[in-house]
Amino acid sequence: MSSNVRSNSPIAINRPKQDYTGKDDGNAILMEARLCEIISSLRALIKSNTELEEALIECPGDKDFIDAISENRIVIIKKQKAATELVRELRIRGVDAEVPKDVMS
């Protein structure tokens, strides 16, 4: 059976929606690894935005800088939510986890 089923097809394939947080398999070790990956990514995005904001001071109104900052903020919010959800899921599984404050501000 083809994995590319069109939406108007009479046959429906129920696939689990890809979970952005990485908690879909329930493996706490993999979830912790995913949390570390998200935290690292958040730190890089926050650093990038700081540098972009400094560059924007030197080049006021630069559309590329403004767009990049805006896009980064959207990704940061999504990743913060994913990290928070992963921590919640890890705690349910008895793992003491938290999101560092430096990536949640």
Side-chain angles (χ1 to χ4, degrees), residues 53-103:
E53 288 165 355
E54 290 169 2
L56 192 57
I57 292 169
E58 295 177 21
C59 302
D62 186 296
K63 184 171 176 4
D64 291 333
F65 290 159
I66 293 168
D67 289 347
I69 291 167
S70 177
E71 290 170 12
N72 281 355
R73 285 181 180 154
I74 292 167
V75 175
I76 288 168
I77 290 168
K78 288 179 183 178
K79 288 187 178 283
Q80 287 172 329
K81 289 179 183 176
T84 300
E85 177 63 19
L86 265 174
V87 166
R88 188 182 71 76
E89 290 292 329
L90 283 164
R91 287 180 178 167
I92 288 171
R93 289 166 176 76
V95 177
D96 184 24
E98 65 180 74
V99 182
K101 289 182 170 86
D102 69 303
V103 298

